[in-house]
Amino acid sequence: MTEARIHLSIRPALIAWLIACAALLMSALPAFAQEQSGEVLFGDDHIRAELFADGEPKPGEEWLLALRFTPDTSTNEEWHGYWSNPGDAGLGMDLKLNLPDGWEMGEALYPVPQRFVQPLEGSAGLMNHIYKGQYTVLVPVNVPADAPEGGFGPVTGFVNYLACTDELCVPQDARLIEQPIEDASDFARWRTEIAPLLDAQARFAIDDTKLMLAIPLPQSVEINSPHVFIENTQLVLYNAPQTFRRDGDLVSVEIPLSDW
């Protein structure tokens, strides 16, 4: 088996790919302009996106931004967003920030998603990785050591994402302007919603039919109804049964590969 570092949510750090079929939705609806931060520029405001910062950036340190998504609850429709790998259908977000030269946006940190299975005749159904209700994605920014004190003013940018119900999906394209945070404790809470890195080396291997993981996990840690969320798209069958075995402080997992 090959060594790999994985998150405690038990997902290997593999490169994410976008699902092409969801991109077809982008031409289905008319665009309209909005000037306020977080308002959508494309589609309806079914899930609002707002950008917040954890204090002021400091030279040579990591600065944390938060992208908070809030579904519209004014109607009987329940809108949901997607994890970086949306699963069998859907679309992950595409974020662009306007940062000074030398400032680097790191990998977005997502909360652990929920599993949503859509029945499909003749199969086990389609599984999507979604968020129901409000959710927050954290975005680390590496600030160079020679950056001026006090930052450079509010961060701006754009984010593309998808808002869906059980019946339909609407692409969203929002203008972002960094806003002051009302409660400084929000960032502490949002950090706890992100799956922490597992402080141990895991291993994985792939054969013709399955992905195999070997995850060091103390026997004292209970794993009730476990599930592995794979960040790589089109690698595994999302709604296939996952086989877990425990041997002392090691948990092994087998997941059927996708037939795409």
Side-chain angles (χ1 to χ4, degrees):
M1 281 192 173
T2 305
E3 290 189 352
R5 290 187 63 83
I6 66 172
H7 293 280
L8 193 56
S9 58
I10 319 179
R11 60 183 178 97
L14 303 174
I15 301 175
W17 297 82
L18 293 176
I19 293 181
C21 62
L24 297 176
L25 295 169
M26 296 304 294
S27 60
L29 295 170
F32 61 93
Q34 299 283 345
E35 295 298 329
Q36 296 179 336
S37 170
E39 293 288 346
V40 297
L41 304 174
F42 188 101
D44 296 323
D45 197 2
H46 296 305
I47 299 182
R48 180 182 176 86
E50 298 173 285
L51 185 67
F52 301 95
D54 188 12
E56 295 289 336
K58 297 181 180 179
E61 297 185 10
E62 183 180 85
W63 186 38
L64 199 60
L65 301 175
L67 193 55
R68 184 169 63 184
F69 294 93
T70 304
D72 179 15
T73 58
S74 63
T75 68
N76 292 329
E77 295 178 304
E78 187 177 59
W79 296 92
H80 60 256
Y82 290 89
W83 188 46
S84 56
N85 175 2
D88 285 313
L91 188 69
M93 75 169 186
D94 181 21
L95 174 64
K96 298 289 189 299
L97 295 179
N98 300 316
L99 298 170
D101 291 342
W103 296 51
E104 296 183 356
M105 184 177 73
E107 180 183 359
L109 306 173
Y110 287 77
V112 178
Q114 300 165 273
R115 289 174 283 168
F116 173 65
V117 178
Q118 294 179 311
L120 188 65
E121 187 176 354
S123 75
L126 302 178
M127 178 182 287
N128 296 333
H129 307 144
I130 70 167
Y131 300 104
K132 292 185 177 180
Q134 191 176 72
Y135 65 99
T136 304
V137 178
L138 299 182
V139 182
V141 174
N142 294 318
V143 182
D146 59 354
E149 292 282 352
F152 62 94
V155 177
T156 62
F158 293 89
V159 60
N160 301 312
Y161 53 104
L162 197 63
C164 292
T165 67
D166 294 354
E167 304 295 332
L168 61 91
C169 289
V170 180
Q172 311 273 266
D173 185 354
R175 185 197 310 275
L176 300 171
I177 301 175
E178 175 199 335
Q179 302 176 61
I181 192 72
E182 295 181 0
D183 188 345
S185 66
D186 283 343
F187 270 90
R189 175 169 53 83
W190 294 335
R191 283 186 176 92
T192 65
E193 296 171 355
I194 306 299
L197 287 174
L198 183 65
D199 190 20
Q201 290 289 331
R203 295 176 294 163
F204 73 92
I206 298 177
D207 65 16
D208 292 338
T209 62
K210 59 185 177 296
L211 168 68
M212 296 163 284
L213 303 173
I215 305 165
L217 194 66
Q219 192 169 9
S220 59
V221 177
E222 295 184 7
I223 49 172
N224 297 320
S225 301
H227 183 81
V228 177
F229 289 96
I230 303 296
E231 191 171 19
N232 175 263
T233 64
Q234 302 180 13
L235 176 64
V236 300
L237 291 172
Y238 299 115
N239 200 28
Q242 299 182 353
T243 304
F244 289 81
R245 298 182 181 88
R246 181 186 277 282
D247 182 9
D249 293 332
L250 188 70
V251 174
S252 62
V253 190
E254 293 184 358
I255 308 172
L257 293 180
S258 170
D259 53 8
W260 285 29

